Amino acid sequence: MVQVAPLRRTGRPLGATVPVIEIERKFLVAERPSDLEGWPSSAIEQGYLTVDQEGPEVRVRRRGGQAYLTVKSGGGRVRVEEEIEIDGDRFERLWPLTEGRRIEKTRYEIDAGDGVVIELDVYTGALDGLVTAEVEFDSEEAADAFEPPSWLGDDVTEDLRYKNQRLAREGPP
Amino acid sequence: MVQVAPLRRTGRPLGATVPVIEIERKFLVAERPSDLEGWPSSAIEQGYLTVDQEGPEVRVRRRGGQAYLTVKSGGGRVRVEEEIEIDGDRFERLWPLTEGRRIEKTRYEIDAGDGVVIELDVYTGALDGLVTAEVEFDSEEAADAFEPPSWLGDDVTEDLRYKNQRLAREGPP
């Protein structure tokens, strides 16, 4: 449930003594909320340029009007995450190189009260039919205390089959 | 000897009907010219982020004060070359991810007269001891007509062992 990310999402390195802790839970969605279309949403396209899973991961991602190329080391001694902003034309030219290794989804941001936002992802393309939801928390206590609304299904936080890269490469579990 | 590059080095795509033709020859260097240090030179560091040779090639490169991340498709139906300028700090953070897949060299630009520039590369690091030279031409006729100075050695233009990526991964032939 606790994922340690040594670098900020922006790609700026932190001092070695201040790791960023991301605390999030991931759920399947038993039933889409009836008011889903009323929440803000945006299309997300994410594709992997790297073919194998050894070595650094290189991916491109577009959400709304913004696109990024991200290089992320898999772990080990050197941990790196660099997010490079690219323009839409460049994204369009790189996208064909990710064929067969893509996630395409619409993300809805649902205000669940008490400062909790549920990010509900409706997948399209090769993952059509899959719906998941992620919730990020400020603390482990808040994550533990979270009572999922009835429309959320199984907690798959620890299920590796639902990791982004795995979904992109292997399709729906 | 003739290499067809469908995209400009800058990463801007061309219309499909106007391929760019790069015509260059590559030589070993039998003897370094005695006036070598008198020519302009710059350090080049180039490393591959991608571990295997399938799929697109992703590399970082720094020459003088400028650094780039380049994504290049290996061929096939979709051909892409995107060169993204990155700052020096980002280069420094990505460089450790290229360990074991690097080219480090000093490039000398030697004016050989008649508009011909010989780029002489003195490798360092894992390729220490290797010296090669490349000459680019405007036409096939000019390439054929080129009479190499006596200090140039074997023509290795067609020798795959001297391709950059191969040198980076496998070391000196």
Side-chain angles (χ1 to χ4, degrees):
Chain A
M1 184 189 309
V2 178
Q3 301 183 329
V4 177
L7 298 178
R8 287 192 198 281
R9 289 275 165 118
T10 57
R12 282 189 295 274
L14 286 172
T17 53
V18 193
V20 172
I21 311 285
E22 285 182 353
I23 304 168
E24 58 187 22
R25 293 175 67 181
K26 193 171 197 171
F27 298 89
L28 296 183
V29 174
E31 189 188 356
R32 299 184 202 192
S34 57
D35 63 348
L36 187 57
E37 295 303 333
W39 296 107
S41 69
S42 56
I44 296 177
E45 298 156 287
Q46 182 165 316
Y48 294 85
L49 290 163
T50 37
V51 168
D52 69 0
Q53 290 175 72
E54 285 174 61
E57 169 189 304
V58 185
R59 65 169 195 237
V60 289
R61 187 179 215 251
R62 182 164 61 183
R63 180 179 180 176
Q66 287 197 299
Y68 298 91
L69 181 147
T70 303
V71 179
K72 196 173 168 181
S73 70
R77 207 164 48 90
V78 182
R79 297 200 114 191
V80 175
E81 182 168 341
E82 290 293 321
E83 189 173 73
I84 303 168
E85 191 162 0
I86 58 177
D87 65 33
D89 287 347
R90 207 191 277 280
F91 177 89
E92 293 285 354
R93 295 194 296 271
L94 290 169
W95 186 247
L97 302 182
T98 66
E99 197 175 345
R101 299 180 300 278
R102 291 178 184 163
I103 284 177
E104 295 166 89
K105 61 190 178 188
T106 301
R107 170 163 291 181
Y108 297 85
E109 297 186 34
I110 299 169
D111 183 348
D114 294 332
V116 172
V117 173
I118 302 178
E119 294 177 329
L120 188 147
D121 291 331
V122 177
Y123 293 77
T124 54
L127 293 161
D128 194 37
L130 182 64
V131 184
T132 64
E134 277 181 30
V135 192
E136 199 163 323
F137 303 96
D138 291 332
S139 68
E140 276 192 77
E141 291 69 30
D144 289 337
F146 177 64
E147 292 193 18
S150 61
W151 52 267
L152 283 181
D154 289 345
D155 185 325
V156 294
T157 308
E158 305 288 345
D159 191 334
L160 298 175
R161 296 174 304 162
Y162 290 94
K163 297 287 174 200
N164 279 325
Q165 190 177 155
R166 182 95 168 249
L167 286 173
R169 293 173 187 280
E170 301 183 14
Chain B
M1 185 188 310
V2 178
Q3 300 183 331
V4 177
L7 298 178
R8 288 190 198 283
R9 287 276 165 117
T10 57
R12 282 189 295 274
L14 286 171
T17 54
V18 192
V20 172
I21 312 286
E22 283 182 355
I23 304 167
E24 58 186 23
R25 293 175 68 182
K26 193 170 198 172
F27 298 89
L28 296 182
V29 174
E31 190 187 356
R32 299 184 201 192
S34 57
D35 63 348
L36 186 58
E37 295 302 334
W39 296 107
S41 69
S42 56
I44 295 177
E45 297 156 286
Q46 182 167 316
Y48 294 85
L49 290 164
T50 37
V51 168
D52 69 359
Q53 290 175 73
E54 285 175 61
E57 169 187 305
V58 184
R59 65 168 195 237
V60 289
R61 186 179 217 251
R62 182 164 62 182
R63 181 179 180 175
Q66 287 196 301
Y68 299 92
L69 181 148
T70 302
V71 180
K72 197 173 170 181
S73 70
R77 206 163 50 89
V78 181
R79 297 199 114 192
V80 175
E81 182 167 341
E82 291 293 320
E83 190 173 73
I84 303 168
E85 191 162 0
I86 58 177
D87 65 34
D89 287 347
R90 209 191 275 281
F91 177 88
E92 294 285 354
R93 294 194 296 270
L94 290 169
W95 186 247
L97 302 182
T98 66
E99 197 176 345
R101 299 179 301 278
R102 292 178 183 163
I103 285 177
E104 294 166 89
K105 61 191 178 187
T106 301
R107 170 163 290 180
Y108 296 87
E109 297 186 33
I110 300 169
D111 183 348
D114 294 332
V116 173
V117 173
I118 301 179
E119 293 178 330
L120 187 148
D121 290 332
V122 177
Y123 293 78
T124 55
L127 292 161
D128 194 37
L130 182 65
V131 185
T132 65
E134 277 182 29
V135 193
E136 199 163 321
F137 302 97
D138 291 332
S139 68
E140 277 193 76
E141 292 69 29
D144 289 336
F146 177 64
E147 291 193 19
S150 60
W151 51 268
L152 284 181
D154 289 345
D155 185 325
V156 294
T157 309
E158 305 289 345
D159 191 333
L160 298 176
R161 296 174 303 163
Y162 290 94
K163 296 288 174 200
N164 278 325
Q165 190 177 155
R166 183 94 167 250
L167 286 173
R169 291 172 188 283
E170 300 183 15

